[in-house]
Amino acid sequence: MPAPAPSPTPSRRKFLGLLSLPERQYLADALRTETVGGVLLLLAAVAALVWANSPVGDSYATVRDFHIGPSALGLDLSIQHWAADGLLAIFFFVAGIELKRELVAGELRDPKAAALPVIAALCGMAVPALVYTLVNAIGGGSMDGWAVPTATDIAFALAVLAVIGTSLPSALRAFLLTLAVVDDLFAILIIAVFFTSDLNFLALGGALVGLALFWLLLRKKVRGWYVYVPLALVVWGLMYNSGVHATIAGVAMGLMLDCSRREGQKHSRGEHIEHLVRPLSAGVAVPLFALFSAGVAVSGKSIGEVFTQPVTLGVVLGLVVGKAVGIFGGTWLAARFTRAELNEDLNWPDVFAVSSLAGIGFTVSLLIGELAFEGDQAITGEVKAAVLFGSLIAAVLATVLLKLRVRTYEALIADEERDEDMDGIPDVYERDNPEYHLRMAAIYEKKAAEHRERAQLAGASRDDADSPA
């Protein structure tokens, strides 16, 4: 009796493999804008620190706390609150579009493929929260700031890459962006669940009606910014007065946009709107938020307290240790149990370097710090300083790790971008196409003929020079 045939071994999925060409192009466009915005964010943070610690530092607090807005509508807010509740709504609107796009066309559309970055992101939020909780449980500190070190700031991370002159292969950049998108989603849920004050159900009902009208207009394909922008402002104002954090309105509207491409479309409607709004978010909204949130007094004493007080030490260790260990550990475990095989051109140290880079938790960490310790100006300032120092240490650690592999990354990027047949499509996407090989053979033959012709001309010139006059 013949032996039974062995059961086929399930194929292993490629982790951090080559992106599809449309996904790579979208990623390049999105990260280009975020990189510029990240540099502006970095400059704004430095400007805030210099201003707050200068001889005219009192003027920083005066401007930051200056109130403006219609009090009759419940919107008599300080400049700092306008930046945190108003401008960051634009940031979260873009985050909502990014999440929707990832769910319908990006890395999260396939549940099997999405499992790995989602698990990595969840571990990258749970472990920092656990680190913070353990430090404060041992040191007798406050548990209110557990969510502060859970966020990743993609713009700041890209700014660090731009400053140190290091780029990443597209697969690593996509992994970092997907982590940030999932991170933003859960940060939004944390803000909505844990930082919602007493609810005003009338205002909340009005906001929900406005969101329903927004959705209906999108479904009816009504066009015109003059319709949507005023409606969005009304929804935002109602959401703010409802007790739910106003940025939730931005996320909700972003998630409603259609991010599926129709046949013949280069960009979906959602992607088009994101392309228009992202520069405003990355170049204006987030830097202004940083300018009015990152200005904390820094002294030798305050620096020492960052590393000795349980609340601030928990934030620093959460960002530096918790993020790196959580994302790397989650990625390794998910790859092991989902039978995902790491791209042969990359190594696990590359994943750890990106995990360390994700420890830069600036924008959303500052926002959560303000919400967690609202009303306590002293500890809010200390937490902000901890976020700054934690992000700085994570940036330095990631820089060292990435620089160790910079030549490998440069070679991979050069291979991704090589286009020898000059048809506008990188060669790596055409290597399985017979027509590509025919074109390349013709190109090589043409180059060889030119080389032979030059050699013949050079030989003839030497013969003429050697012949007697």
Side-chain angles (χ1 to χ4, degrees):
M1 182 176 179
S7 58
T9 304
S11 59
R12 295 175 69 87
R13 290 187 302 103
K14 187 75 71 177
F15 168 51
L16 295 179
L18 185 67
L19 302 177
S20 67
L21 186 56
E23 188 70 11
R24 182 179 181 275
Q25 291 171 337
Y26 167 82
L27 180 73
D29 291 340
L31 295 188
R32 191 178 298 112
T33 303
E34 288 290 353
T35 300
V36 174
V39 173
L40 293 175
L41 171 63
L42 187 59
L43 293 174
V46 172
L49 287 170
V50 172
W51 186 3
N53 291 277
S54 70
V56 294
D58 291 342
S59 66
Y60 177 83
T62 302
V63 173
R64 182 192 63 195
D65 297 333
F66 181 77
H67 277 62
I68 189 173
S71 56
L73 299 178
L75 296 175
D76 181 20
L77 309 178
S78 67
I79 297 296
Q80 183 180 17
H81 277 126
W82 276 112
D85 295 311
L87 292 177
L88 279 195
I90 302 173
F91 166 80
F92 279 107
F93 174 69
V94 173
I97 301 175
E98 285 179 338
L99 177 61
K100 180 67 173 290
R101 188 196 167 278
E102 287 289 319
L103 289 170
V104 302
E107 293 291 299
L108 302 180
R109 69 188 184 279
D110 178 7
K112 291 183 179 179
L116 199 149
V118 169
I119 292 171
L122 284 173
C123 292
M125 299 185 79
V127 176
L130 180 61
V131 169
Y132 177 93
T133 302
L134 288 174
V135 170
N136 282 270
I138 295 171
S142 171
M143 296 296 179
D144 293 343
W146 64 271
V148 174
T150 60
T152 292
D153 194 313
I154 181 68
F156 214 132
L158 293 171
V160 169
L161 292 177
V163 169
I164 66 177
T166 297
S167 188
L168 295 175
S170 59
L172 284 176
R173 284 180 288 163
F175 180 60
L176 181 62
L177 180 62
T178 305
L179 283 176
V181 169
V182 178
D183 197 292
D184 286 342
L185 167 63
F186 287 100
I188 291 159
L189 293 176
I190 288 172
I191 291 171
V193 173
F194 294 98
F195 299 107
T196 294
S197 55
D198 295 335
L199 288 176
N200 180 331
F201 288 100
L202 182 62
L204 180 59
L208 294 175
V209 170
L211 288 172
L213 179 58
F214 190 89
W215 178 83
L216 182 63
L217 291 172
L218 288 173
R219 297 286 79 73
K220 297 294 184 181
K221 294 183 170 50
V222 175
R223 296 184 179 275
W225 64 269
Y226 46 83
V227 174
Y228 292 100
V229 172
L231 178 58
L233 291 174
V234 170
V235 170
W236 175 86
L238 289 168
M239 190 69 76
Y240 177 83
N241 282 287
S242 73
V244 178
H245 199 270
T247 54
I248 303 301
V251 177
M253 287 183 279
L255 285 169
M256 290 180 185
L257 295 179
D258 181 12
C259 292
S260 301
R261 296 180 186 177
R262 304 291 182 265
E263 187 175 352
Q265 277 187 326
K266 187 175 181 181
H267 300 291
S268 67
R269 189 178 182 185
E271 288 171 332
H272 176 67
I273 294 174
E274 180 191 15
H275 180 73
L276 295 175
V277 179
R278 186 187 287 275
L280 178 62
S281 168
V284 179
V286 175
L288 282 177
F289 167 76
L291 180 64
F292 293 110
S293 292
V296 293
V298 178
S299 63
K301 180 182 177 182
S302 64
I303 293 173
E305 289 177 347
V306 165
F307 297 99
T308 55
Q309 300 296 323
V311 169
T312 50
L313 181 61
V315 171
V316 172
L317 291 179
L319 289 171
V320 177
V321 178
K323 273 289 182 183
V325 172
I327 293 175
F328 178 81
T331 304
W332 186 84
L333 287 172
R336 182 178 179 86
F337 288 105
T338 62
R339 299 188 58 80
E341 190 175 57
L342 184 65
N343 181 357
E344 61 273 6
D345 294 325
L346 297 169
N347 295 318
W348 283 107
D350 299 313
V351 179
F352 187 78
V354 172
S355 303
S356 301
L357 190 64
I360 301 173
F362 190 75
T363 304
V364 180
S365 289
L366 290 177
L367 175 61
I368 293 178
E370 291 178 0
L371 296 173
F373 299 102
E374 189 174 9
D376 191 334
Q377 198 67 34
I379 196 169
T380 299
E382 293 170 0
V383 168
K384 287 181 179 181
V387 170
L388 292 172
F389 280 107
S391 298
L392 177 62
I393 295 169
V396 172
L397 174 61
T399 297
V400 172
L401 295 174
L402 292 170
K403 282 295 185 182
L404 293 175
R405 295 276 291 168
V406 67
R407 292 186 179 179
T408 300
Y409 298 153
E410 289 173 350
L412 290 173
I413 293 168
D415 187 55
E416 287 180 5
E417 296 177 350
R418 187 174 294 112
D419 183 17
E420 294 190 13
D421 60 348
M422 304 294 287
D423 64 346
I425 301 175
D427 296 341
V428 69
Y429 292 95
E430 298 188 286
R431 287 172 182 165
D432 294 332
N433 183 357
E435 293 182 3
Y436 164 76
H437 292 287
L438 291 174
R439 288 199 304 272
M440 292 306 299
I443 290 171
Y444 290 144
E445 179 56 35
K446 182 179 179 181
K447 288 181 178 179
E450 291 173 352
H451 178 73
R452 288 194 298 269
E453 184 177 349
R454 285 196 298 269
Q456 290 172 356
L457 290 173
S461 298
R462 284 195 298 271
D463 291 341
D464 291 341
D466 294 340
S467 63

